[in-house]
Amino acid sequence: VQLQASGGGLVQTGDSLRLSCAASGRTFSTLNTGWFRQAPGKEREFVAGISWNGGNTIYVDSVKGRFSISRDNAKNTVYLHMNSLKPEDAAVYYCAASFFLTKIPTDVGYWGKGTQVTVSS
């Protein structure tokens, strides 16, 4: 599976942004997917995850109520809807796919290239 994230950019505090992750490969619909982020000088951290059928979603506490993850298996795409963005949300965002839903970066099976999100105060 190959993953390609897009949709990042420069926004202001309080703005919204939608990230997309397009996947290639027929196995995408059977994989659990998620988003991680990495800010300069920090470790990569889990942001949100969604099960293969969309029936289960998980989030890091800092984004609950502001971010929403969704997927469209017909389009082989997973989305991250980000609302009320804060400067601390600024990072490179990576999409990921795994055989099980995980919050642990080292357990991720497939990584996409990141997309930069910058939030100005």
Side-chain angles (χ1 to χ4, degrees):
V1 173
Q2 292 186 330
L3 306 171
Q4 180 64 55
S6 63
L10 172 62
V11 297
Q12 295 184 336
T13 297
D15 283 353
S16 299
L17 205 58
R18 188 185 75 167
L19 305 183
S20 299
C21 177
S24 62
R26 292 178 291 178
T27 61
F28 174 77
S29 62
T30 66
L31 294 173
N32 300 285
T33 56
W35 290 92
F36 291 72
R37 64 187 180 188
Q38 188 167 18
K42 295 187 177 181
E43 294 187 350
R44 191 169 298 189
E45 66 167 351
F46 168 79
V47 177
I50 187 167
S51 59
W52 65 274
N53 63 354
N56 186 27
T57 57
I58 52 175
Y59 300 91
V60 67
D61 285 346
S62 61
V63 307
K64 285 181 179 178
R66 299 189 299 121
F67 290 14
S68 176
I69 188 171
S70 62
R71 64 188 293 163
D72 185 339
N73 285 343
K75 295 182 179 179
N76 274 10
T77 302
V78 61
Y79 304 97
L80 184 66
H81 309 263
M82 305 185 294
N83 298 316
S84 302
L85 281 161
K86 304 176 181 180
E88 51 264 42
D89 294 318
V92 177
Y93 282 71
Y94 298 89
C95 60
S98 302
F99 293 105
F100 49 91
L101 200 54
T102 181
K103 298 180 179 180
I104 303 173
T106 53
D107 287 345
V108 169
Y110 305 94
W111 288 104
K113 292 184 178 179
T115 184
Q116 177 73 51
V117 173
T118 304
V119 184
S120 63
S121 57

